[in-house]
Amino acid sequence: MHKSRGQSRRHGRRSHRHNPWFRQHGSNERNNTRVQQSPQGSSHSDDEAPSTSSSTAGSSSVPDLPGYYFDPEKKRYFRLLPGHNNCNPLTKESIRQKEMESKRLQLLEEEDKQGKKTARLGFNASSLLQKSKLGFLNVTSYCRLAHELRVSCMQRKKVQIQSSDPSALASDRFNLILADTNSDRLFTVNDVKVGGSKYGIINLRGLKTPTLRVHMHENLYFTNRKVNAVSWASLNHLDSHILLCLMGIAETPGCATLLPASLFVSSHPAGDRPGMLCSFRIPGAWSCAWSLNIQANNCFSTGLSRRVLVTSVVTGHRQSFGTSSDVLAQQFAVMAPLLFNGCRSGEIFAIDLRCRNQGKGWKATRLLHDSAVTSVQILQEEQCLMASDMAGTIKLWDLRTTKCIRQYEGHVNEYAHLPLHVHEEEGIVVAVGQDCYTRIWSLHDAQLLRTIPSPHPTSKADIPSVAFSSRLGGFRGAPGLLMAIRQDLYCFSYS
């Protein structure tokens, strides 16, 4: 009798050892005992063990179970389910989305509570003024630091948009906004609910506190074409036209189109509106840029798959330059006869516009990123260039030495074609990441000055589009940031 009992107990222990669940459960109990006895050893094991979720990383007393997620609020484990056959599964993606939303709401609450923030330690208005009076700061440094301080204190306010079609404002979603040179107009591309895109111009001259009210001028004659790239064009006068690169639909090929900005002014009678100036059949354009260089007067460029086209609007003459990769970003220099291009391969090169053929010598400068380049911006003196890529890297390059002199940390991008905004007068750099956060850096030393969460829940389909200016609404306007997301427009103005 006693012998059979001992055999059953030994058999039970052997079965527990062979059962993977009991083996895992027993090891977890031993780990917990070890954690309670030696807190130093627990921190060492947490560094080495892979974490199932980010929420468990902060709790050293909770072991990780493969295929399970520990909820710190409910203090229990939940099974991670595959997402293809469950109506409401608990997956790593849903957990990550929940954590990101919680962080966003927390940052929004902090922004609403804190009236004034400081981007640099021990830096405020009184200390800045005192250093200026004592002669420790010159005029340039004082103005730059004053801009940084005011950027840190910008408050979010919703802008009221007036339109002749209020129902469209409630349904159409902002896809892109682009301010003109004087920042008194905002070109918008809106995604229409039934499909396609609609274009408009917002007059910013009414953008004055405390009532932020603007008017949207729409043009219903040009719709249903998705926009790949857009740029303001100065043909008759400064920013007289809008250059659009449109995708093809069905049998209709893609094209580059110049639209007169006067088409969007509602005061013109319908019969007196000028027609479309010109349209060029350029299929598959990834990027475009308008030239203000005298050696390429009235010309624009388009970046295609393995090719760059420079087209004269007046004569229709084209120059073609073959490349080894798709051209995703472009900008003309103003003083030097150069066109800078950023490619999917990570290469940045300049085309010498004085070369009239595809022979040797038309590549003037060559830089290299580790990922696809999404934006290139030439600084005013044309001695430096700033570029961003799909790995989230933002670099400032010295064009004379072709070396990176500064890198801006914190930008988030994995695969999206996101723009970069450089404002030398205020000394800031602005970029919206794929995580829907708008980040502002100091151009001078790459210090991260501000991280602005999105007013709406983060989504890869709802990445905000922004425009910054020192004179929003024209010459007498105040500096600030405009943010368009979904159907809403927000203004972050200097207070």
Side-chain angles (χ1 to χ4, degrees):
M1 177 73 69
H2 297 288
K3 183 177 179 181
S4 62
R5 286 180 182 174
Q7 288 178 351
S8 64
R9 281 197 296 267
R10 285 195 298 271
H11 178 73
R13 284 195 294 268
R14 282 199 302 271
S15 65
H16 287 184
R17 283 197 298 269
H18 288 291
N19 191 318
W21 188 91
F22 284 103
R23 187 166 59 249
Q24 177 69 36
H25 184 68
S27 64
N28 289 337
E29 288 180 347
R30 289 192 296 271
N31 287 339
N32 284 339
T33 306
R34 245 184 257 121
V35 166
Q36 294 173 359
Q37 293 176 353
S38 176
Q40 294 179 352
S42 67
S43 62
H44 179 72
S45 63
D46 283 340
D47 291 339
E48 293 180 350
S51 176
T52 305
S53 68
S54 59
S55 63
T56 60
S59 179
S60 60
S61 62
V62 179
D64 292 331
L65 297 181
Y68 288 84
Y69 160 72
F70 183 79
D71 192 324
E73 296 179 359
K74 298 181 180 179
K75 297 182 179 180
R76 56 170 292 190
Y77 286 95
F78 291 92
R79 185 182 177 187
L80 289 171
L81 302 177
H84 61 277
N85 59 354
N86 291 274
C87 298
N88 188 21
L90 182 64
T91 62
K92 290 184 178 180
E93 183 65 26
S94 64
I95 294 168
R96 182 172 173 270
Q97 191 71 24
K98 180 181 177 182
E99 292 173 351
M100 288 178 61
E101 180 63 13
S102 176
K103 178 184 175 182
R104 185 190 70 87
L105 293 174
Q106 183 180 357
L107 288 176
L108 280 177
E109 186 178 356
E110 290 176 359
E111 284 213 338
D112 294 337
K113 286 181 179 179
Q114 297 177 3
K116 294 185 178 180
K117 311 176 188 66
T118 55
R120 302 178 188 271
L121 188 63
F123 177 66
N124 52 48
S126 59
S127 64
L128 181 64
L129 185 60
Q130 186 177 6
K131 289 180 180 180
S132 176
K133 288 181 178 179
L134 293 174
F136 294 138
L137 293 174
N138 56 30
V139 176
T140 305
S141 299
Y142 176 79
C143 293
R144 175 177 58 83
L145 292 173
H147 272 296
E148 291 184 7
L149 183 63
R150 301 190 75 178
V151 162
S152 304
C153 302
M154 293 189 304
Q155 296 293 312
R156 182 184 74 253
K157 296 179 181 177
K158 192 171 181 179
V159 180
Q160 298 179 16
I161 305 175
Q162 298 176 337
S163 173
S164 56
D165 187 6
S167 61
L169 292 177
S171 59
D172 299 344
R173 301 163 66 95
F174 283 105
N175 183 21
L176 181 147
I177 60 173
L178 183 66
D180 64 357
T181 305
N182 295 327
S183 301
D184 56 2
R185 291 175 300 174
L186 199 68
F187 180 74
T188 68
V189 178
N190 296 69
D191 291 334
V192 185
K193 195 173 183 179
V194 295
S197 299
K198 184 168 63 176
Y199 324 130
I201 287 181
I202 294 179
N203 189 346
L204 298 177
R205 292 176 184 173
L207 196 65
K208 297 178 181 179
T209 55
T211 57
L212 300 174
R213 189 178 292 112
V214 295
H215 191 84
M216 166 82 82
H217 300 285
E218 298 174 343
N219 190 302
L220 303 178
Y221 293 100
F222 302 96
T223 56
N224 302 327
R225 304 289 295 274
K226 183 181 178 182
V227 178
N228 270 354
V230 60
S231 172
W232 284 93
S234 303
L235 187 60
N236 300 334
H237 53 80
L238 184 64
D239 298 333
S240 61
H241 292 70
I242 300 105
L243 174 64
L244 299 171
C245 288
L246 306 177
M247 284 190 66
I249 299 178
E251 297 179 357
T252 306
C255 64
T257 302
L258 274 169
L259 296 180
S262 57
L263 285 171
F264 298 88
V265 179
S266 58
S267 59
H268 285 271
D272 296 339
R273 290 188 178 184
M276 182 172 60
L277 178 66
C278 55
S279 180
F280 300 87
R281 180 177 291 186
I282 303 177
W286 293 101
S287 58
C288 66
W290 181 263
S291 172
L292 295 176
N293 194 298
I294 192 66
Q295 298 199 39
N297 194 27
N298 293 332
C299 290
F300 69 91
S301 67
T302 46
L304 313 177
S305 296
R306 302 178 182 272
R307 193 160 53 116
V308 173
L309 284 182
V310 179
T311 307
S312 171
V313 176
V314 179
T315 63
H317 177 262
R318 290 183 181 179
Q319 287 180 264
S320 179
F321 300 90
T323 65
S324 59
S325 181
D326 301 339
V327 181
L328 304 181
Q330 293 182 307
Q331 189 180 12
F332 283 94
V334 177
M335 296 184 287
L338 298 174
L339 168 62
F340 287 88
N341 305 268
C343 297
R344 190 183 297 276
S345 62
E347 181 187 15
I348 302 172
F349 64 89
I351 296 175
D352 193 334
L353 299 174
R354 293 170 294 188
C355 297
R356 299 298 178 185
N357 53 53
Q358 297 188 43
K360 296 181 179 180
W362 58 266
K363 271 194 179 183
T365 306
R366 187 176 182 272
L367 310 170
L368 194 63
H369 274 237
D370 295 331
S371 183
V373 177
T374 60
S375 181
V376 291
Q377 296 290 326
I378 307 169
L379 273 61
Q380 289 179 0
E381 297 295 327
E382 299 187 359
Q383 296 178 353
C384 296
L385 176 142
M386 185 168 286
S388 61
D389 60 31
M390 288 190 183
T393 304
I394 301 176
K395 291 184 178 181
L396 180 65
W397 295 88
D398 190 328
L399 296 175
R400 297 163 294 182
T401 62
T402 64
K403 292 183 179 179
C404 175
I405 57 177
R406 201 167 295 134
Q407 188 163 330
Y408 300 77
E409 304 292 343
H411 185 49
V412 177
N413 192 6
E414 296 176 354
Y415 56 82
H417 196 172
L418 301 176
L420 180 67
H421 310 273
V422 181
H423 302 274
E424 289 188 74
E425 183 178 347
E426 298 81 14
I428 63 171
V429 179
V430 183
V432 181
Q434 205 170 351
D435 57 353
C436 299
Y437 284 85
T438 303
R439 294 174 176 87
I440 305 177
W441 296 266
S442 168
L443 178 63
H444 178 71
D445 60 0
Q447 170 80 26
L448 181 61
L449 304 175
R450 182 84 181 267
T451 301
I452 304 175
S454 172
H456 292 276
T458 56
S459 169
K460 293 178 181 178
D462 292 323
I463 299 177
S465 180
V466 300
F468 186 92
S469 174
S470 59
R471 290 174 290 272
L472 282 178
F475 179 73
R476 296 183 179 180
L481 175 79
L482 288 175
M483 176 187 293
I485 178 171
R486 294 189 181 180
Q487 293 86 9
D488 299 327
L489 182 66
Y490 296 92
C491 180
F492 296 77
S493 59
Y494 282 15
S495 56

